[in-house]
Each structure stands twice: as structure tokens, then as C-alpha cells.
Amino acid sequence: MNRLKAILSRIDRKGYGAYKDLQGSYDFGQFTLFVDKVQRDPFAPPSLVRVRTKENRFAPELFRNPVRRTAFEDFLNRAVEQAVRRTVRGNRGSGKSGRVEIQRTSQVVLPRSSIVVESGYVEARMAVGLPARGRTVDARAARAMLLDELPEVVQTALTPAGVDEGAAREHVETVEDASHLRNRLPELGLVAFVADGAILPRESGASDRPLGKGAVPFESPEEFRVAVELPNRGEISGMGIPEGVTLIAGGGFHGKSTLLSALAWSVYDHVPGDGRELVVTREDAVKIRAEDGRSVAGVDISSFIRDLPGGQSTADFSTPNASGSTSQAANIAEALEIGTSLLLVDEDTSATNFMIRDERMRELVQLEPISPFIDAVRPLHRDLGVSTIVVVGGVGDYLDVADRVILLENYRPCDATRRAREVRERYPSRTSHEEGEVRPPMNRRVRAASIDLSRGRKEVARGKGLATVELGRERVDLTYLEQLAEPGQTEAIGRIIGEFAAGGRSRAVAEVVDSAVRSIEKNGLDSLGNFRGHPGELSLPRPQEIAGAINRIRSLQATT
Ligand code: ADP
Ligand code: MG
């Protein structure tokens, strides 16, 4: 600490570059400060630091297994965010002067690189904007930041004295319950579970926080109600959605998309207070949508589309500009390739001609390459074991292929399976559905050499915000990967792809993803990091999103 003071006094008012002298570690008594990387100037990305406490006096049950540990680390990340908001003054001069940041969390709980809980210490990885006046060192402000504010943050967010242990326990137990529930879905024959009392609607289209006023709590129809015993909360009840084909029907604005979207997000655990704490979906579930304009590299979409104009093969389909239906077909084929047990499809974001073709169109249009999704949902389940939950408002034909129908009225679900059967008998569909033949998942190899990381003299493979990965000069657009939760995941994906590209070897997409996931399991998320000591801001992505990003690289080539 005294050494830090001395250095600061020495470099006061010198050029900003003098801050480089801070690199190193400092003993603060209760904790150690590591200055891993010093920014070049006040406007550059902030400096990277770590604080590591000398002991971990938190109750060991808060982190006694991997699920609890991840939840507790998530809790501490949020505690630091809060402590920073309360104690750090923020702006202290030019550029990023005075800022203290830790990874920004979302509503979901993920393994992140921001906090490390070990039995002997707790460590937080942060970024600080070392304060400047113009382009010179402002030592007084730096002293206030590093010697007053930072220790205060450590004290209030990283020691039992400052942290609300009851809240920590609730956080950890909630996540453990959700994770337990999700793991039990297969043995219960379910693909998803929505607890009674869950709050599904969100504040707005732009916010993932729960709707405050006027939210109607979820209440399971009697017919689908399942009781489950959880390790912490004991017995709870809710709607179990069995394997097979499930329709979510209902009038416009009655809450269909809200339910489906809650299911899509519930591949992740949610924080207490989110409303979806006890909503869980199979962890490999994939939301499928139309995404016209995306590129496709060597994908077998022949289960859905055959004989394109010009004789282009659909067993090995590539395009820089997919249509609504070909993009949706590619999204499904790619989901099957990486592995999924549940597809989530919303009519709102689907290509109509992909979903259905009615009798008149079958009559009028003879040259139709598309065999609609409706003909594939049953074979998908029967032959490949892949269930589907599909939201329909307008296309009654889906009643013919559904195992069950959940009808939403005023946000309240009821079991309309029997009524749907009666309707079908009274109004038989005039389209004869020949069940399609669904091809087994493909296993493409892609060329690492088709990804060019170079930009000028630099190699670049990184995330930019939530929805962009930068690979050299290419910006991969992930806007429509609807289950990507945090920028930290995007960053991790960028680095995984970077390693694949740098390796130079053609490999199967599934193998690239598998080996990345296994290596993270073994060596930790930090192993994706760039810097000595400080790994940067990383969150664990799912295999589905890693593959999703690879598949959207415009320069990507499949080998044949
Ligand atoms: P649909 O897909 O059936 O047209 P949405 O799911 O888009 O309907 O929901 C319509 C509106 O109702 C949205 O603004 C949504 O936030 C709101 N909503 C959905 N579920 C609930 C609920 N349980 N309680 C209150 N509002 C809800
Ligand atoms: Mg909708």
C-alpha cells in the first residue's frame, strides 16, 4: 500500500504513460491488488486489475458444489456491481477516468471469469479507468480510487461483514433448485416445466426484467400439473410439458410468445426475483426462427427443401443470402447437427411457407421445393427423438400433428387437447399430410482457412457487445441467436472461433465446439483469456450458440 502511494506521488502530473509503473501487486492487509494491464491513455479500454482477499470466511455451504459455486460467484458479481454504484464517484477527469467496472450481469446466472471463489480466497476481476487530467497522471484522484474506494468495495462486496448472507443463501439455493429441476426433466419424460406462480412477462421488449404491475402469475392447467421435490424448497407444482409435439394456441396478445420466450430463456438459471426462477427447459433447447439474408455453408436442408430452381443441391446447400424458409430450414439442420432434444418455434418469427402449405396452394403451385415443417414434426420426434413446442395462432392444420394443445386465454393456460380433437373431427383438414422423411443429423467439416483473422498487422477474434463477433475484417451478426444472453458469452465465442481459425485445420463443427467445451470444463473459462493474470470479461456460452456463431460466418466454407 505504501509502495503504491509512493509510486503515485512519484508519477503525479507526468505523462499518462507513467502509469505503466503501477503494473504489479500490492499488499492491502486484507487483500492483494494486482494491476495486470495498464491502459495506454485515458480514452483507451480501462486498466485491468484484480483484488484477492487473503482468506475466504464465507460459509462453505455457499460454494460446496460446482452449481453452488457458480451461483455464489454470480451473487458476488452482483454485490460488486452494487457496491461500485454506491461507493465509486465515477467520473474523475478525462476519458474513462475514475470508472470502476466489473462484468455486467443479466437476469441469468452463468459461469463467468469475473469472480473466483476458492476455499482460501475470493477474487474479483475488474477494470478501472486510471484518472487523468488531460493526458497527465492525476495521482490525487488515483489515490482516492485505489486507496479509498476500492478497499471499500472489497469490504462491502467480498467479505462476510459486508454481504447479506441470507440473500446469498437464497441465491445459491434458488439456482441449485432450478438446476436440479432441469436435470430431472428427462427422467420425468418432460421437455419443460413452468412453476405455478411464475411471472413470465417482461418489463418491455427491450428489458429482460419482470413486468412489475399487472403481471398474471402462471397457473398450470390441472391436466398438466406435476409435483416435484426440490433439494431446498421442498415440493413445488407446475405445468410439465411432456416430450412430443406441443402446440401453444390462443388469440393474438394472449401471451403465447411470452410463454415460448420464457421457455427459450430457461435453458439458463434465473436470479431470485426474476419470476422465472422455477421455469426450466432442456438445456439443449433451441429457438428456431426465420432469418432471411443469413449465409449458409454446406448445410443439408433436404429434409425440408428439395429441387431448388437451377438444380442446386439441398443436401449440401450454400448461399450468401438465404430466404425466410431456407434460413429456417438451415437453422433446424444446424441445431440437429450440434445436438438438441427440443425445438421452440413461434409462428410470429417463422416463414409462413416453411410452416404450412394449404390445399389451394398445393393445387396451384406444382413446383414447390418446400415440404413444410408440419410434415416433419412427427418424424422429428419419432425418428430422432426431438420434441417440438410450436406457437400457432392462425394455422389450424397443426392440430393434426399435435400430441397436446395448450390454449392461452387472458394469459391463463388450459388443456385444449380434447377440444382440439373434437374440432378436428368436425372440420377435418382437407390437406392430406404425408409425413416427410427426416434425414439424420449431418456432420460437416468446415475449413479453418476460410476464416481470415488478420486485420492489418493484427489478428482479431473478439466479441463486440452482445450480438457481434469480429473476426479480422468480418463482423459476424448474431442478432438472431435469440438465446445468447450476455456480451461475455459473445467474447468467449469470439475467442473459441479465433483458436479454431488460428489452428488452421479443417474440422467438424461439432468437434470444434465439443473440444472447446471440454477444454473449458477442464481448464476453466480463464483459459480462453488473453492477458497475464486477468482473463477479461468472459461468460460460458452454450454449444448451440458457439455453433450458431460459426455457422453465421459469411466467409465460412464447408469441405466436401
Ligand atoms: P401473443 O404472442 O399471444 O400475441 P404475447 O406473448 O406477445 O402475445 O403477449 C402480449 C402482451 O401481453 C405482451 O405485452 C406481454 O408482455 C403481455 N403478457 C403476456 N403474458 C402476460 C401475463 N401473464 N401477465 C400480464 N401480461 C402478460
Ligand atoms: Mg406472439
Side-chain angles (χ1 to χ4, degrees), residues 370-423:
I370 303 174
S371 85
F373 184 59
I374 191 168
D375 295 341
V377 280
R378 295 233 59 90
L380 271 172
H381 183 232
R382 191 190 52 226
D383 301 340
L384 303 182
V386 178
S387 299
T388 299
I389 301 177
V390 51
V391 164
V392 290
V395 265
D397 282 24
Y398 271 84
L399 295 179
D400 289 336
V401 296
D403 293 310
R404 67 200 66 83
V405 180
I406 298 166
L407 179 67
L408 282 169
E409 288 174 332
N410 300 312
Y411 317 131
R412 291 190 170 78
C414 65
D415 177 7
T417 311
R418 184 109 56 85
R419 255 166 73 201
R421 199 170 301 136
E422 288 163 20
V423 169

Side-chain angles (χ1 to χ4, degrees), residues 253 255-258 346 348 391:
F253 228 60
K256 303 182 298 296
S257 297
T258 301
D346 193 333
D348 288 356
V391 164

Side-chain angles (χ1 to χ4, degrees), residues 42-62:
F43 302 91
S47 305
L48 301 179
V49 306
R50 287 172 295 137
V51 289
R52 180 186 289 181
T53 60
K54 295 267 178 73
E55 49 187 1
N56 176 356
R57 296 172 69 100
F58 286 103
E61 71 255 30
L62 290 173

Side-chain angles (χ1 to χ4, degrees), residues 231-391:
N232 303 302
R233 195 175 293 216
E235 189 178 286
I236 61 152
S237 67
M239 177 173 82
I241 302 181
E243 294 170 358
V245 180
T246 303
L247 241 59
I248 299 175
F253 228 60
H254 280 261
K256 303 182 298 296
S257 297
T258 301
L259 173 56
L260 194 79
S261 163
L263 295 177
W265 282 121
S266 296
V267 297
Y268 302 116
D269 300 324
H270 289 99
V271 294
D274 174 85
R276 299 167 296 188
E277 296 92 320
L278 294 173
V279 181
V280 294
T281 305
R282 292 278 182 95
E283 65 181 357
D284 60 1
V286 180
K287 178 101 187 280
I288 298 291
R289 58 170 297 153
E291 193 180 340
D292 53 306
R294 67 159 280 195
S295 61
V296 176
V299 173
D300 180 358
I301 55 170
S302 62
S303 297
F304 306 102
I305 297 170
R306 285 186 204 103
D307 311 318
L308 285 174
Q312 197 187 353
S313 159
T314 57
D316 174 18
F317 177 71
S318 299
T319 178
N321 186 8
S323 66
S325 51
T326 49
S327 62
Q328 198 162 356
N331 285 344
I332 294 178
E334 289 166 350
L336 298 176
E337 176 180 46
I338 196 68
T340 183
S341 56
L342 176 64
L343 302 176
L344 302 167
V345 183
D346 193 333
E347 195 183 77
D348 288 356
T349 49
S350 292
T352 311
N353 61 340
F354 180 75
M355 297 298 282
I356 192 79
R357 192 150 64 107
D358 71 10
E359 183 195 20
R360 286 178 165 171
M361 274 310 183
R362 278 178 208 251
E363 221 24 69
L364 179 71
V365 182
Q366 302 288 325
L367 290 180
E368 174 53 89
I370 303 174
S371 85
F373 184 59
I374 191 168
D375 295 341
V377 280
R378 295 233 59 90
L380 271 172
H381 183 232
R382 191 190 52 226
D383 301 340
L384 303 182
V386 178
S387 299
T388 299
I389 301 177
V390 51
V391 164

